[in-house]
Amino acid sequence: MGRELNIVSYNLRKHHASGELSDLSRLYDVDIMCLQECDTEDIPERIDHLVLADSTKTNRLGLAVYYREDRFELHATRVFALRKSMHDRVMAPAHERLLAAKLFDKEIGKEILVGSFHAAPLTASNSLRRKQIAAAHHALRVMGPGLPTVMVGDYNYPWFRANLSERMEESGYLLSFSDKPTYARYKYFKGHFDFVTSAHTRIDSIDTLPQGESDHLPILVVAGVED
């Protein structure tokens, strides 16, 4: 069994929490960091021991993936545009909603696939978000058939998660979420927004980390991949 993967996912709330990334990377010994709502024109090539795999280029609310350079080799990245919500069509915040990175894990001698995902906002329907999630999973399967896969991010799906979980299991993905709510913008409105969906991968734990400058709280995913 190779060493576990420490994956952090964080919605930066329009880049407001970008100053916290260095501390997060060191404090939690991060192997892979997936960001949502970042300003991709204002992100560094490196965050301590992490190097930028890729970022979206046209989104107002961008996605980025960083990886530990001494453990992984970057084999490929792809950006995927998913079905638009009405909010997307009117406000144009994001149409590239999945950024995927195929990484070769030198510790176990195997490729893995990691995706940073940002679903349509709450103004859209759960039905649309389910379609976006299914399309993202299909894109990942095409990019890396049979590879250990972890997709993390802001799923914007705080209610009726049981239905979503059943749909994921039917499609071969496991839905997991953290020990505590991941969204706390308002005093009386909290919920789980930031999830993990995975295939051919063991999810050992998901912890909600302390809140910083974002309305979302970062999550730490500890995942295992078979040799």
Side-chain angles (χ1 to χ4, degrees), residues 28-83:
Y28 298 102
D29 194 24
V30 175
D31 295 305
I32 298 169
M33 182 178 286
C34 296
L35 305 177
Q36 305 88 42
E37 290 199 21
C38 59
D39 180 352
T40 57
E41 295 183 356
D42 189 38
I43 56 174
E45 288 295 319
R46 291 180 176 275
I47 302 174
D48 297 306
H49 58 277
L50 303 175
V51 64
L52 180 66
D54 205 352
S55 62
T56 54
K57 301 301 188 289
T58 63
N59 281 11
R60 181 166 60 86
L61 306 177
L63 305 172
V65 173
Y66 288 83
Y67 66 96
R68 184 187 290 270
E69 191 175 29
D70 60 1
R71 176 169 180 176
F72 301 101
E73 294 176 0
L74 179 62
H75 281 186
T77 62
R78 284 193 65 185
V79 175
F80 299 93
L82 305 179
R83 181 177 298 198

Side-chain angles (χ1 to χ4, degrees), residues 104-175:
F104 180 76
D105 188 337
K106 292 181 279 190
E107 290 195 5
I108 63 175
K110 179 180 291 188
E111 285 185 319
I112 65 169
L113 201 57
V114 178
S116 182
F117 173 74
H118 192 185
L122 294 181
T123 51
S125 66
N126 276 350
S127 175
L128 175 64
R129 280 185 286 274
R130 287 196 300 271
K131 291 174 182 176
Q132 289 180 331
I133 296 166
H137 287 163
H138 176 73
L140 292 170
R141 284 197 187 93
V142 171
M143 184 175 176
L147 289 184
T149 301
V150 179
M151 187 172 85
V152 296
D154 179 4
Y155 284 63
N156 272 319
Y157 209 107
W159 303 291
F160 309 110
R161 291 195 305 270
N163 184 31
L164 179 62
S165 182
E166 292 175 3
R167 298 288 187 96
M168 294 303 95
E169 290 179 11
E170 291 171 1
S171 68
Y173 276 78
L174 174 67
L175 172 68

